[in-house]
Amino acid sequence: MASRAGERGADHGRAMDAQYKLQRHVYDLTRKYYLLGRDRLIRDLAVPAGGSVLEVGVGTGRNLALTARRFPATRLFGLDISAEMLKSARQTMARAGAEGRTLLGRADATAFDPQALFGEPGFDRVFVSYSLSMIPDWQAALAQALSVVEPGGSLHIVDFGQQEALPGWFRAGLRAWLAKFHVTPRADLFDEIERVAKRQGATARCRALYRGYAWEAVITR
């Protein structure tokens, strides 16, 4: 079972590298108009002074750089399965002047060891921004992300919702467009968040944003 999961992760990583090698330089420009709720998530992290933040699916580093500016005394960590995205993330953190307090690593979001990867047993804040809709085994990634949150810390999530209060034509068009990029909004995201939180003895708070365009959750340990 573990080897099959590892093979699936490796295949996903190769696919992401091929995709992002072509688009990583324009990734932020093409996504800033429709990945709603990211800045709100970062604003609400409320990282304690000297605390640690991990982003799962760091991508180009755009979100982590914004976190660095908002919380200047924070230690920053990011992981991604794509080596190509990590190249961009390192450049982004250097431009933000935060490379000295940032560690980035290549890993599968569904099965990573924070101690081996970063020398850290866990983190005060972990966040996942528009990545669960791209990870095949997103349930495992969700459970893994919560497992590395320190007691008293929190996991913050934002991703595509079900557009439940938006017109049907808009929902259908968005879904068709997202499918071209292998993005699948998770209809049972909130249910799975509640299940994972209960299994790990945590408390979840979920809400829809922008008439259901995006869904947001905070899980507190």
Side-chain angles (χ1 to χ4, degrees):
M1 181 70 73
S3 64
R4 286 199 297 272
E7 289 171 4
R8 286 196 298 270
D11 289 343
H12 182 55
R14 285 190 288 270
M16 291 298 97
D17 272 346
Q19 178 180 340
Y20 292 147
K21 189 170 186 177
L22 297 174
Q23 62 175 260
R24 68 187 177 93
H25 298 294
V26 296
Y27 188 90
D28 288 331
L29 290 175
T30 59
R31 280 151 175 78
K32 70 177 182 177
Y33 297 108
Y34 66 89
L35 299 187
L36 306 180
R38 296 181 299 171
D39 294 357
R40 178 191 186 117
L41 178 153
I42 293 166
R43 181 196 67 205
D44 293 343
L45 287 174
V47 187
S52 57
V53 177
L54 168 69
E55 181 177 13
V56 176
V58 71
T60 64
R62 180 265 184 197
N63 296 330
L64 207 59
L66 183 58
T67 304
R69 290 194 292 273
R70 182 167 284 276
F71 304 103
T74 297
R75 294 178 297 123
L76 305 161
F77 303 85
L79 66 87
D80 205 286
I81 201 167
S82 167
E84 291 297 327
M85 278 302 193
L86 288 170
K87 289 179 184 177
S88 288
R90 291 188 179 98
Q91 293 168 3
T92 299
M93 299 313 291
R95 286 195 299 269
E99 69 271 36
R101 55 188 172 105
T102 303
L103 286 178
L104 302 175
R106 189 179 189 188
D108 184 341
T110 68
F112 63 91
D113 180 348
Q115 188 69 56
L117 195 60
F118 299 119
E120 297 281 331
F123 310 89
D124 297 303
R125 301 288 185 271
V126 177
F127 70 92
V128 190
S129 172
Y130 285 93
S131 291
L132 294 179
S133 54
M134 299 182 68
I135 298 172
D137 191 0
W138 64 273
Q139 298 94 333
L142 173 61
Q144 179 65 16
L146 182 57
S147 75
V148 301
V149 176
E150 292 281 19
S154 53
L155 168 62
H156 300 248
I157 299 160
V158 68
D159 215 311
F160 290 106
Q162 294 298 296
Q163 301 85 47
E164 54 269 29
L166 290 167
W169 62 263
F170 180 89
R171 182 167 56 250
L174 178 64
R175 297 299 183 84
W177 188 68
L178 291 176
K180 296 179 184 295
F181 299 95
H182 310 289
V183 175
T184 305
R186 310 303 184 183
D188 53 343
L189 177 61
F190 282 171
D191 291 339
E192 186 64 20
I193 284 170
E194 295 285 356
R195 284 191 290 268
V196 168
K198 185 175 181 180
R199 284 199 302 267
Q200 297 196 31
T203 302
R205 184 180 76 251
C206 303
R207 61 178 172 176
L209 304 175
Y210 317 115
R211 300 176 67 188
Y213 181 93
W215 282 359
E216 177 188 73
V218 178
I219 311 177
T220 304
R221 296 188 69 85

